[in-house]
Amino acid sequence: MSKVDVVIGCFYGDEGKGKVIDYLGTTADVAIRATGGDNAGHTIKVNGVKYAMHLIPSGLLSGHTVGIIGNGVVLNPQVLLDEIHNLKDHGFDVDRYLKISEKAHVIFPYHRLLDAALEKARKSKIGTTGKGIGPSYCDKFERCGIRMEDLYAEDFREKLQEQFESRLALLKFYDPQEDYDKLLDFEKVYQEYVEYAKQLKPYVCDTFTLIHKALEADKKVVVEGAQATLLDIDFGSYPFVTSSNPTIGGALTGSGLSASDIGNVYGIIKAYSSRVGEGPYVTELLDETGDRIRELGHEYGTTTGRPRRCGWLDLVTLKYAKRLNGLTALSVNHLDTIGKFDKIKVCTAYDVNGTITEDFTTNLNVLKSAKPVYQELDGNFGDIEGITKFEDLPKNAQDYIRFIEDYIGIPVKFIGTGADREAMIVRD
């Protein structure tokens, strides 16, 4: 029976997971999205066209890979239908290859309004995308959420009405200044979702059985990670995290895979680091260097368009991601970007009130006190865009990659040398 490859972001998201997912997807039979919602985004360039994939597994872009939206995903039907129509317009056979778990939870308009109202009411802002992801997961764990299969049940109207009324009451409590009776019309929402259900019904199925039959038939299966390790609800920099587990545990529970099904776990990083939203960030550069990284790397969010906070590579965090996810190899993107600096700094330890440590913690008080301990390496890699062989890289670039490998203790298998899908080194 075949093993599953898993792709996981190591820091705060936006590491360029799409490039490796795209590479693995060209030979994959099945690609699974297991966690999160349309707060995530993978940008992939195919034949000169950029696709921003928020819900549909980007492996589907191969033209022959079944894309599964797993049970761990919270799903906005309108966003999904927009993606479906866009892919169809570009010639992709979505009707044949897209599958949606009957157990995936559905996002409703009141979830998005609650997201905004709760953020507005907080004294300390989390930096939510406002997509309704958190409130939808709250319903899931409160055991009152509505799943895809519920859209086709005889009591769907009654279930929706009960949730609608209770969430309307919450909205009025948290944000009494807003007239939510005008913003939310039950009959309108109900009819909209009846129509969504009709359009999505051909894709909804028992994806758990589908995945395991694929493995039993020795098919190649890939799990596409969304968000990243330090946004994990349990192991991230809480509360500045997402509402799901975008680590290896979420890949299992969000798809129905078992631990013994997992083969390679690829950790994705950039040759520097970035973050969108609030929260601690030890290597952040609030100076001209940080601004230059942002502009060279085009660091603006796929989903939000927000400028990302930028800084040097943090190997302390990367070691944490390796331990947590059981990483077997790394992918380093934007090597061409960081190589434009004459000197490059890499964080190899934290100085916490005079104590030097190489062990990461999500304790906010510790992170606030932590100062990065840097080692400086030579940059100035020259023009490496599009190089596809490691031995063709200049010595300084090779040394940078080997420094990462020596510190973390696992190989760098993929190296991104440009924006195009072909601009990547794949090492044995």
Side-chain angles (χ1 to χ4, degrees):
M1 192 165 79
S2 63
K3 295 289 185 179
V4 178
D5 288 339
V6 182
V7 177
I8 290 177
C10 291
F11 294 156
Y12 301 102
D14 307 306
E15 296 94 347
K17 296 180 289 294
K19 185 182 280 282
V20 174
I21 289 167
D22 183 42
Y23 173 82
L24 297 173
T26 58
T27 56
D29 298 294
V30 177
I32 306 167
R33 169 74 185 278
T35 61
D38 61 302
N39 56 337
H42 295 157
T43 300
I44 294 179
K45 193 175 182 180
V46 180
N47 298 325
V49 180
K50 278 187 178 180
Y51 297 92
M53 312 292 283
H54 298 284
L55 285 169
I56 295 177
S58 46
L60 192 139
L61 295 174
S62 71
H64 60 79
T65 303
V66 174
I68 293 177
I69 298 176
N71 57 276
V73 173
V74 289
L75 190 155
N76 183 322
Q78 183 59 66
V79 173
L80 178 56
L81 286 167
D82 288 345
E83 284 190 30
I84 289 172
H85 295 149
N86 180 52
L87 291 178
K88 284 185 175 182
D89 289 344
H90 284 88
F92 291 95
D93 191 354
V94 182
D95 290 348
R96 180 178 179 183
Y97 291 109
L98 178 63
K99 307 295 179 185
I100 304 169
S101 171
E102 60 195 1
K103 295 179 173 61
H105 280 251
V106 181
I107 295 174
F108 288 87
Y110 51 76
H111 289 129
R112 299 194 298 276
L113 291 171
L114 262 174
D115 212 350
L118 289 167
E119 182 77 347
K120 182 179 177 182
R122 291 186 185 103
K123 291 182 179 179
S124 298
K125 307 301 181 187
I126 291 176
T128 173
T129 58
K131 304 286 185 179
I133 310 301
S136 181
Y137 276 116
C138 285
D139 283 3
K140 176 176 181 174
F141 289 102
E142 198 182 329
R143 293 161 294 180
C144 62
I146 295 175
R147 307 202 288 191
M148 286 302 298
E149 62 188 5
D150 295 321
L151 300 182
Y152 309 102
E154 291 183 1
D155 62 347
F156 169 52
R157 185 184 180 94
E158 289 73 21
K159 279 188 175 181
L160 179 59
Q161 186 139 29
E162 182 179 354
Q163 281 300 98
F164 192 93
E165 290 173 358
S166 66
R167 271 43 195 167
L168 185 58
L170 277 177
L171 282 165
K172 291 177 179 179
F173 174 80
Y174 282 112
D175 189 9
Q177 307 302 318
E178 189 67 69
D179 189 353
Y180 287 105
D181 288 314
K182 285 186 177 180
L183 292 175
L184 285 171
D185 179 279
F186 172 77
E187 195 61 37
K188 181 182 177 183
V189 172
Y190 172 70
Q191 293 299 335
E192 282 179 354
Y193 277 74
V194 167
E195 181 58 31
Y196 292 152
K198 189 184 303 181
Q199 295 182 57
L200 293 173
K201 190 170 186 180
Y203 308 107
V204 179
C205 65
D206 173 10
T207 56
F208 171 81
T209 301
L210 182 66
I211 290 167
H212 282 277
K213 283 188 174 180
L215 290 173
E216 289 161 6
D218 212 29
K219 301 291 186 181
K220 182 177 178 180
V221 179
V222 176
V223 176
E224 302 184 5
Q227 286 99 23
T229 298
L230 290 188
L231 298 179
D232 187 276
I233 189 70
D234 290 302
F235 293 99
S237 53
Y238 189 90
F240 305 102
V241 293
T242 192
S243 303
S244 60
N245 292 103
T247 45
I248 192 66
L252 302 181
T253 59
S255 63
L257 291 165
S258 71
S260 61
D261 293 323
I262 305 302
N264 288 309
V265 183
Y266 297 116
I268 315 301
I269 65 171
K270 285 182 284 205
Y272 50 91
S273 62
S274 68
R275 176 167 195 170
V276 170
E278 306 296 326
Y281 179 9
V282 175
T283 62
E284 181 176 13
L285 297 171
L286 299 171
D287 56 16
E288 291 181 0
T289 300
D291 293 340
R292 188 179 177 213
I293 292 174
R294 183 182 304 106
E295 294 309 312
L296 289 172
H298 308 291
E299 291 296 341
Y300 297 89
T302 299
T303 298
T304 63
R306 289 182 290 183
R308 296 175 186 141
R309 303 155 63 190
C310 293
W312 298 118
L313 181 61
D314 185 343
L315 294 184
V316 178
T317 295
L318 183 56
K319 183 192 291 185
Y320 176 77
K322 175 207 170 184
R323 289 169 170 172
L324 179 59
N325 296 298
L327 301 181
T328 59
L330 295 171
S331 167
V332 179
N333 289 314
H334 281 277
L335 188 66
D336 54 317
T337 299
I338 206 66
K340 292 180 172 66
F341 289 84
D342 292 332
K343 295 291 182 180
I344 306 167
K345 291 183 179 181
V346 180
C347 176
T348 57
Y350 291 168
D351 181 340
V352 183
N353 299 321
T355 300
I356 305 299
T357 180
E358 295 183 8
D359 295 325
F360 183 81
T361 176
T362 59
N363 184 294
L364 295 184
N365 290 325
V366 174
L367 290 175
K368 286 176 183 177
S369 304
K371 305 297 181 186
V373 176
Y374 286 121
Q375 183 157 337
E376 191 171 77
L377 303 174
D378 290 327
N380 195 19
F381 299 163
D383 184 10
I384 66 170
E385 186 169 353
I387 288 178
T388 56
K389 293 183 179 179
F390 184 75
E391 54 269 25
D392 291 341
L393 289 172
K395 182 178 183 301
N396 288 354
Q398 292 186 30
D399 289 346
Y400 189 74
I401 294 297
R402 290 195 176 106
F403 186 87
I404 296 170
E405 290 179 320
D406 290 344
Y407 186 97
I408 301 300
I410 56 175
V412 173
K413 181 175 177 64
F414 304 101
I415 303 171
T417 57
D420 290 339
R421 68 193 302 189
E422 297 84 7
M424 183 166 67
I425 296 169
V426 182
R427 300 165 74 201
D428 292 332

